[in-house]
Amino acid sequence: MSVDKRALIAAARAASAGAYAPYSRFHVGAALGFADGTIITGANVENASYGLSLCAETVAVAAAMAAGRRGGLVAVAVLGGAPDGNGIAQVTGAALSPCGRCRQVLNELAQLGGTDPVIWSVGGDGVVEMALSALLPMAFGPSHLG
Ligand code: THU
């Protein structure tokens, strides 16, 4: 089953309302699309000790893995911006691409299932589409240890 781009982006947008981002005031939503049609989302969770903050993509991967997912990741949508009155990110700037740590975290779930998910990075001018393998070439992953 292929993942519907508009639906996955809509899920990421809705997820951004759950962000806990009192320090940056930048709400991020991420949505993971699986081969069986399931969508699992996350939002950024900040911390008073700033460096301990968690990105939306990492929260989404943790939620997916805690729910038993060990592969099947075929698409990811991510977006961010200042929250509107409902906490939904208002996307205006450059397309939001996962940070380096999140690329590695996404790679763990992807490599477990042997997929190379497409990353839909949403920005004010549209959506940039890139494979995770292009964002994180020659990735280190579980296959190196087993
Ligand atoms: N953030 C994400 O959640 N995902 C990204 O891809 C980039 C940055 C969060 C971290 C922090 O809570 C806020 O955005 C500002 O950096």
Side-chain angles (χ1 to χ4, degrees), residues 24 26 28 44 46 55-57 96-99:
S24 71
F26 188 77
V28 181
N44 52 330
E46 297 186 346
C55 290
E57 300 93 316
L96 189 60
S97 187
C99 78

Short mmCIF file of all heavy atoms in Angstrom, two decimals, residues 24 26 28 44 46 55-57 96-99, ligand 1:
data_model
loop_
_atom_site.label_atom_id
_atom_site.label_comp_id
_atom_site.label_asym_id
_atom_site.label_seq_id
_atom_site.Cartn_x
_atom_site.Cartn_y
_atom_site.Cartn_z
N SER A 24 11.39 27.27 22.46
CA SER A 24 11.60 27.73 21.07
C SER A 24 10.33 28.35 20.48
O SER A 24 10.39 29.10 19.52
CB SER A 24 12.04 26.57 20.19
OG SER A 24 10.96 25.67 19.97
N PHE A 26 8.45 26.86 18.65
CA PHE A 26 8.44 26.34 17.28
C PHE A 26 7.83 24.94 17.35
O PHE A 26 8.44 24.01 17.88
CB PHE A 26 9.89 26.28 16.75
CG PHE A 26 10.02 25.96 15.30
CD1 PHE A 26 9.75 26.91 14.33
CD2 PHE A 26 10.42 24.68 14.89
CE1 PHE A 26 9.89 26.61 12.97
CE2 PHE A 26 10.56 24.37 13.55
CZ PHE A 26 10.29 25.34 12.59
N VAL A 28 6.60 21.45 15.97
CA VAL A 28 6.93 20.53 14.87
C VAL A 28 6.02 19.30 14.98
O VAL A 28 5.78 18.78 16.08
CB VAL A 28 8.41 20.10 14.92
CG1 VAL A 28 8.75 19.17 13.76
CG2 VAL A 28 9.32 21.32 14.90
N ASN A 44 7.40 17.68 18.85
CA ASN A 44 8.60 17.94 19.65
C ASN A 44 8.25 18.16 21.12
O ASN A 44 7.22 18.75 21.45
CB ASN A 44 9.43 19.10 19.08
CG ASN A 44 8.65 20.37 18.83
OD1 ASN A 44 7.46 20.34 18.54
ND2 ASN A 44 9.32 21.51 18.93
N GLU A 46 10.10 19.61 24.41
CA GLU A 46 11.28 20.32 24.91
C GLU A 46 11.47 20.10 26.41
O GLU A 46 10.63 19.47 27.08
CB GLU A 46 11.17 21.80 24.54
CG GLU A 46 11.16 21.98 23.03
CD GLU A 46 11.21 23.42 22.56
OE1 GLU A 46 10.97 24.34 23.37
OE2 GLU A 46 11.48 23.62 21.36
N CYS A 55 13.06 15.92 19.29
CA CYS A 55 12.42 16.34 18.04
C CYS A 55 11.18 15.49 17.77
O CYS A 55 11.06 14.34 18.24
CB CYS A 55 13.38 16.17 16.87
SG CYS A 55 14.75 17.31 16.83
N ALA A 56 10.31 16.03 16.95
CA ALA A 56 9.07 15.34 16.60
C ALA A 56 9.32 13.99 15.94
O ALA A 56 8.61 13.01 16.21
CB ALA A 56 8.25 16.24 15.67
N GLU A 57 10.33 13.92 15.08
CA GLU A 57 10.60 12.68 14.36
C GLU A 57 11.04 11.58 15.32
O GLU A 57 10.65 10.42 15.20
CB GLU A 57 11.69 12.89 13.30
CG GLU A 57 11.36 13.93 12.25
CD GLU A 57 11.86 15.33 12.61
OE1 GLU A 57 11.70 15.75 13.78
OE2 GLU A 57 12.40 15.99 11.72
N LEU A 96 11.20 21.92 6.17
CA LEU A 96 11.81 21.40 7.40
C LEU A 96 12.36 20.00 7.18
O LEU A 96 11.62 19.04 7.01
CB LEU A 96 10.79 21.40 8.53
CG LEU A 96 11.37 21.08 9.90
CD1 LEU A 96 12.41 22.11 10.28
CD2 LEU A 96 10.29 21.05 10.95
N SER A 97 13.66 19.90 7.22
CA SER A 97 14.33 18.63 7.01
C SER A 97 14.80 18.07 8.36
O SER A 97 15.26 18.83 9.21
CB SER A 97 15.53 18.89 6.08
OG SER A 97 16.13 17.69 5.72
N PRO A 98 14.67 16.77 8.58
CA PRO A 98 15.06 16.19 9.87
C PRO A 98 16.51 16.51 10.22
O PRO A 98 17.39 16.49 9.35
CB PRO A 98 14.87 14.69 9.66
CG PRO A 98 13.90 14.57 8.54
CD PRO A 98 14.13 15.75 7.66
N CYS A 99 16.76 16.77 11.50
CA CYS A 99 18.13 17.03 11.96
C CYS A 99 18.95 15.74 11.86
O CYS A 99 18.42 14.65 11.63
CB CYS A 99 18.12 17.57 13.40
SG CYS A 99 17.88 16.30 14.66
N1 THU B 1 12.77 20.21 15.81
C1 THU B 1 12.09 19.08 15.48
O1 THU B 1 11.22 18.62 16.24
N2 THU B 1 12.37 18.47 14.29
C2 THU B 1 13.25 18.94 13.37
O2 THU B 1 13.42 18.33 12.33
C3 THU B 1 13.98 20.17 13.64
C4 THU B 1 13.82 20.77 14.99
C5 THU B 1 12.44 20.89 17.07
C6 THU B 1 13.49 20.86 18.14
C7 THU B 1 13.11 22.06 18.98
O3 THU B 1 12.09 21.68 19.89
C8 THU B 1 12.52 23.02 17.98
O4 THU B 1 12.21 22.26 16.82
C9 THU B 1 13.43 24.16 17.58
O5 THU B 1 14.66 23.68 17.17
#
